[in-house]
Amino acid sequence: MSQQGYVAAPPYSQSQTGIGGFSSGFGPPNSSLHYGHYGDPNSSCSAPEPGVPKSTVPFGSSASVGPPPPGTHQFSQTNSQNGPSTPEQQPHRFQGPPPPCNSRLSYPPYSHRSQPAYPNTTSTSSTTQLANKLDSMQINSYGPGTAPSLLTSSGHPASFQGPQLSPPPAQQQVALPPGSQVPPPANNLNGLCAQPSLPPIARQDGIPGPVSPNPNLQQLSAHSSGPGYHPQQSNYGPQMAGSQLSYPGAFSGGPAQLSGPQQKKLDPDSIPSPIQVIENDKASRGGQIYATNTRGQVPPLVTTDCIIHDQGHASPRYIRCTTYCFPLSSDMAKQARIPLAAVIQPFAVVPPNETPLYVVSHGETGPIRCNRCKAYMCPFMQFIEGGRRYQCGFCNCVNDVPPFFFQHLDHVGQRVDRYERPELSLGSYEYVATLDYCRNNKPPKPPAYIFMIDVSYRNIKSGLVKLLCDELKTLLDKLPREEQEESSAIQVGFVTYNKVLHFFNVKSSLAQPQMMVVSDVGEVFVPLLDGFLVNFQDSRSVVINLLDQIPEMFADTNESETIFVPVIQAGMEALKAAECAGKLFIFHSSLPTAEAPGKLRNRDDKKLLNTDKEKTLFQPQVNSYEPLARDCVANGCCVNLFLFPNQYVDIASMGLVTLYTGGTLYKYNNFQLDADSPRFLSDLRKDIEKKTGFDAIMRVRTSTGFRATDFFGAIYMNNTTDVEMAAVDCDKAVTVEFKHDDKLNEDSGALIQFAVLYTSISGQRRLRIHNIGLNCSSQLADVFKSCETDVLINFFAKSAFKAILSQPLKMVREMLMNHTAHMLACYRKNCASPSAVSQLILPDAMKVLPMYMNCLSKSCVLVGRPEIPTDERAYHRQLVTSMGVADTQLFFYPQLLPVHSLDLKSDAIPAAVRCSEERLSEGGAFLLANGLIMFLWLGVNVPPELIQGLFNVPSFAHISTEATSLPDLDNPYSKKFKSVLKHIQSQKPYAMKFMIVKQREQPEMLFRQFLVEDKSIYGGASYVDFLCCVHKEICQLLN
Ligand SMILES: [Zn+2]
């Protein structure tokens, strides 16, 4: 075997030149490499000498490998300095969120719930209180998508004008009828708007129908000082820091009190329903062909199934925008407060009935680009002068058409060959890149996957290591490959570790794998090059042999301490040495407390919650993680992290490299082999098989007048323009915010081009181009009409989750609330037809924005409560940061399906119901899913035949809630239910954890957190409460 080592690049703490571009290379070739330290060869460590012997020993015996002079690091599996660690000895227990059987959970007492009764809430809830207000409200609806049942309760027919696209734009109005009285406020509506000392004030306004604006404003003034309105809310505008608004920062936790007489129950259908919006869009656009041939058209919702034809603009599977019509000027944009953003998912999966991307190759010439702004040839280029020149749609520069690309124009000035060339007629396509686009002008090598397994006591004991090794034996046959290739070009390598690292030589010519130990984890190096990264097919027998041996090799380990940063470093160094990009798959269980760079301590501190220091919990605790992430990105090293914690592991620190390198974080709390293996293995299989772009860099180009200013995602930015991703897979999305720097032009619109340069799974350098054109308008109504709420929520979530690194959570929540009110107030002021002051008017495209904003505001990331584990919050924060629009939609508004009403004869999935306790029934069974977790909730009177069909037990009492899956039974209920589960799980990035919840049993509390329209057990406002508060703020803003 090879005796050569290599000299690595400078230590990760040093900055590297050329990061971000492709001028930096993978380092020098390794032919004359030295065996030595990771680091400067001239450092205090003795300079490495070529040919220093490195011992290689067969399995089972001690390996002695190390940098000179020591060279004698002994590997001994039983040589633990720390003794065995048992879970019972762990000082900090992992707290959740927790399986129902976990008795250590600190839920609020069950009896605290203010609405225990099914199926109806009691009249003492805040919902009912507010309901009294809204109950008598008039709801006027204009435009499409409005349920015709929305009639006034006071006997006036609602103005229902039917579908109408011209101004006044579609909008929904919620209004108080004439003479209605606002009841006194609840003493405590989540701590918000609570002004119990104020007497109830009779409503003086409320003239239905159009009235003159001025009286409205006066009436609004009266309104806003009415009961329940916070008198101090005067500080609006960008500086929210000084706002006295108390919502929703104050979480009372206790039940709201009803001070008035018992009143009528709210008809929940009187407030905008997200389900209605989803179903309406499905009904009007589902199953149809959506052609992207028109600039600025709003696509079907993410929840609507349709077939997309690319006809010049990128499919909404790749790009969605907060609005498809930008305001003309920066002043107008500031007035509207609508964030101008696009969510790009460059490698999104397209269904088989849609066309995959065409690949364009211009040979050695490479892609055609604008001389000035470097935009790539696309449908936005305008050919002139008989086809000899073209004007760039982005910067207006006039360029010569290269001779080989010349084509005549037809009578309307279009190239006659435009439909034969993807780059002239499609929104999305790929270019084969030339050597100019490669590092060091050298063609890239196929990427590599390195499996790095924590073999400390916990992972061995839990059976995880054996499970993983067994799975890899078959999984490695499924590495991704190009369709035309017979086998995958991806190389594989293996490392195990606890306090030290073990590298394995699995060269095909070996009879047995060989292990090399690196115990100098302070300055990690890679002890072998040849034989570490191999083609699985070539080295199959050696690799299988290794995977058979690993669990046995460490079976008796007592080592409980682990390292972490040196593991990533080692993987990155191995990729660097092999001059290829790749992914590390790290399987890790505990806080890395062993003495090594990146060592962590348990710094979780509940006392920091709701203080200015809470933000530190989301920042890495030591500074070695960020430079490591930067080095990984610079070397195309993506880090996938599979965590198996049973206590705090500091995800804010450990997950950082994963986040910055475009990797995925998976977490399995209190991993139990039987219960959690299927989910873990499903995640692992899916991740390994995913289509991924490696060593990627994205550039966003825009037409004149605006530019990309902020970027959110699993990305790394070394400068303000290059979005670097060590890898980007089909589920990762980047959210890009745009700002004006000049006036836009209504004729030319707002054009955006996303260009992603990457290395394919076969090692080809490619450019993936996505283009989209948006409209521009001087009319605010056009801007509001073209909004997409799901995209707005994606933007607000990512932006809020980023803001918590620097601002107190309370302020972030207030900003969300304020922002919502500002947008809606702007609409009301500028776009809505004159109406009674008491009306809450919502633009049709933002009808359910307040609902989603409330869900975001009370998500566990933004709510500091001792019951919610810090790691869980950091985990959700990280996941959401890279989510696409469909994933955030489901995450913030879970799908709740009445499975007791499954139509056994049809393939259809039952329509979802609103996420509220009111929708549950004692005789029903409901499935709730949010993309991470799935509950099957069973009412106490669920029909026995359904119980028998799903569980194969005779009655409700016999159902075990311990099960993490349902048996496969040969009956129509079971088969239908399983097909629904499969459908819900399909196309989701994570295998959802499955839990069974029985009505009126303790674990129901966990389930109820996901009923997002209700008041949360942690004090988050109900939808109705939030809506009322938004209304009040709007009134004040208009005042
Ligand atoms: Zn240009």
Side-chain angles (χ1 to χ4, degrees), residues 116-133:
Y118 288 91
N120 296 328
T121 56
T122 70
S123 59
T124 56
S125 73
S126 61
T127 303
T128 311
Q129 170 68 16
L130 262 276
N132 297 331
K133 290 186 193 175

Side-chain angles (χ1 to χ4, degrees), residues 327-351:
L328 211 54
S329 68
S330 142
D331 284 347
M332 210 177 133
K334 279 178 193 144
Q335 196 183 358
R337 293 283 299 268
I338 295 172
L340 307 177
V343 181
I344 163 107
Q345 202 164 335
F347 287 83
V349 172
V350 297

Side-chain angles (χ1 to χ4, degrees), residues 541-558:
S541 63
V542 194
V543 170
I544 300 271
N545 193 331
L546 170 68
L547 294 170
D548 279 335
Q549 290 194 47
I550 286 175
E552 295 169 23
M553 211 184 324
F554 300 98
D556 300 322
T557 187
N558 288 324

Side-chain angles (χ1 to χ4, degrees), residues 370 373 392 395:
C370 168
C373 74
C392 175
C395 72

